[in-house]
Amino acid sequence: MAFSPKNRKGTISGIVFVALVAASATWIAGLGPVKALGLSPLVVGIVIGIFYANTLHNRFPPAWETGITFSAKKILRFAIVFYGFRITFQQIAHVGLEGFLVSLTMLVSTFILGSWLGIKRFGLDRDTAMLTASGASVCGAAAVLATEPVLKAEEYKAAIAVSMVVLFGTVSMFLYPVLYAAIFQHAHGFLHLSPEQYGIYVGGTVHEVAQVVAAAGINGPGTEMANNAVIVKMTRVLLIAPMLILLGLYLSRKAAREGGAGAEVKLVIPWFAVYFLGMAAFNSFDLLPHRVVGTINAVDTFLLTMAMSALGMGTRFAKFKGVGLAPLYTALGMYLWLVIGGFVVVKVITGSF
């Protein structure tokens, strides 16, 4: 146990160390140039963590590793639960059936495509392929973090998936506004997207929430375009709970089949995903003052940054040997589907051919 008397001091020291790294990541993410790039504290945290893992980790007490692992596992689950305070069912209802169907279609299709490409076409192991797929299909780094304990994957595999999210999500922040200004806004017929449709398109296909805000902020915050993008994106975030539950059921049944007819079926239900859904439901009743919810979200962001920093600290470059370019090819295949296929899905569902 991480908090046994023998290891308690080292565990606590490790947690404090991770918290200090997360605080540094939060400060760096708030700096002008970094903020302009749309890099969240989570992304900065994993970069610092990876730097530590590959340069300085041998200079710190080994006893701290239990605290780092605790941050990457236990604090992560706690933070995912309270991520539900960012969503209300009213927000989902606001964009209506069209926004929900775009979110659902893109999530399911992207996850299946990414898993298939990674495993069948490019020879990735199951965990890396599914983690990369979850990051692209749901909500970026946070989705990778949430999926990792369901798969029981190694930290470095999650780090690979996060790096793909950062790469293609960053491209989206620049590509999408250019496409809208140069093509979608002025085109007629099939290639035209209204501001409302463009918002749905961005929310349904861009990786991170911060990247969605950047890509949809052409006309400024608070516009129909920006609001639709954020709400559709948060609908995708909400769908992570049923996705993880279904993934747990799939993995359990697959393990039972591969184990033979007499194998014991061990049901893997990510309860933190269920609790996340419960928090979103509670938040929908608007029982807490907005100031309190804002504080909860700020604390939750910090806890997620701790988890991401700890994830980076478990990532050694030596483990990447043999992986090659397969994750990049997998992520690129999903990205082409998100950009091109997502456009077609939005046109079909909104009935605007």
Side-chain angles (χ1 to χ4, degrees):
M1 292 291 292
F3 280 111
S4 65
K6 181 179 179 181
N7 297 328
R8 185 177 293 120
K9 184 177 179 181
T11 300
I12 294 175
S13 297
I15 294 172
V16 171
F17 175 60
V18 173
L20 291 173
V21 171
S24 301
T26 302
W27 178 76
I28 292 171
L31 297 176
V34 180
K35 192 173 183 179
L37 292 174
L39 298 179
S40 69
L42 280 70
V43 172
V44 178
I46 195 172
V47 171
I48 297 175
I50 291 174
F51 175 79
Y52 160 84
N54 293 278
T55 56
L56 303 172
H57 77 277
N58 288 330
R59 301 187 181 186
F60 287 81
W64 289 14
E65 291 297 323
T66 54
I68 293 172
T69 300
F70 182 88
S71 299
K73 304 292 184 182
K74 303 297 184 181
I75 290 180
L76 163 63
R77 288 168 172 79
F78 185 81
I80 293 295
V81 169
F82 281 89
Y83 201 86
F85 272 97
R86 301 170 192 267
I87 305 166
T88 66
F89 293 154
Q90 290 90 332
Q91 290 175 323
I92 297 169
H94 178 73
V95 296
L97 185 60
E98 290 180 348
F100 175 78
L101 288 177
V102 169
S103 295
L104 181 62
T105 301
M106 296 311 300
L107 188 155
V108 173
S109 61
T110 305
F111 186 82
I112 292 174
L113 174 65
S115 299
W116 178 80
L117 283 175
I119 298 170
K120 299 296 185 181
R121 298 296 299 174
F122 300 122
L124 275 177
D125 63 277
R126 183 203 69 180
D127 291 352
T128 304
M130 287 188 171
L131 287 169
T132 305
S134 71
S137 63
V138 189
C139 55
V144 175
L145 282 173
T147 308
E148 183 260 337
V150 178
L151 295 173
K152 297 181 175 63
E154 297 175 82
E155 285 87 351
Y156 81 94
K157 295 178 181 180
I160 292 173
V162 170
S163 67
M164 295 300 102
V165 167
V166 173
L167 173 61
F168 288 102
T170 301
V171 171
S172 294
M173 290 191 297
F174 299 98
L175 176 63
Y176 277 60
V178 169
L179 289 176
Y180 181 75
I183 302 175
F184 303 148
Q185 184 178 16
H186 304 292
H188 298 282
F190 175 72
L191 290 178
H192 176 72
L193 284 181
S194 68
E196 294 77 12
Q197 288 175 318
Y198 176 75
I200 294 174
Y201 172 55
V202 171
T205 59
V206 175
H207 299 64
E208 292 269 5
V209 176
Q211 294 161 354
V212 166
V213 173
I218 300 172
N219 297 331
T223 61
E224 191 75 13
M225 174 191 291
N227 289 346
N228 277 3
V230 173
I231 293 169
V232 171
K233 179 61 183 177
M234 297 317 289
T235 304
R236 283 170 67 197
V237 173
L238 184 65
L239 288 172
I240 194 173
M243 186 202 81
L244 292 179
I245 293 170
L246 290 173
L247 180 60
L249 289 169
Y250 165 76
L251 293 174
S252 296
R253 293 182 179 180
K254 187 172 185 293
R257 287 197 304 270
E258 293 176 350
E264 179 184 354
V265 178
K266 184 179 180 181
L267 182 61
V268 179
I269 296 179
W271 288 107
F272 65 91
V274 179
Y275 300 146
F276 160 83
L277 206 56
M279 286 296 179
F282 175 81
N283 192 41
S284 299
F285 289 103
D286 199 23
L287 299 176
L288 298 179
H290 292 173
R291 177 175 53 83
V292 174
V293 173
T295 301
I296 291 173
N297 289 338
V299 173
D300 186 61
T301 297
F302 184 76
L303 293 177
L304 284 170
T305 304
M306 284 184 64
M308 190 66 84
S309 301
L311 177 70
M313 291 176 185
T315 303
R316 311 279 195 268
F317 287 143
K319 297 179 181 178
F320 286 74
K321 292 179 179 178
V323 175
L325 295 175
L328 181 63
Y329 294 150
T330 301
L332 177 60
M334 286 188 290
Y335 189 64
L336 292 175
W337 164 246
L338 287 168
V339 174
I340 301 171
F343 176 86
V344 175
V345 167
V346 169
K347 297 290 286 189
V348 170
I349 290 178
T350 59
S352 59
F353 272 107

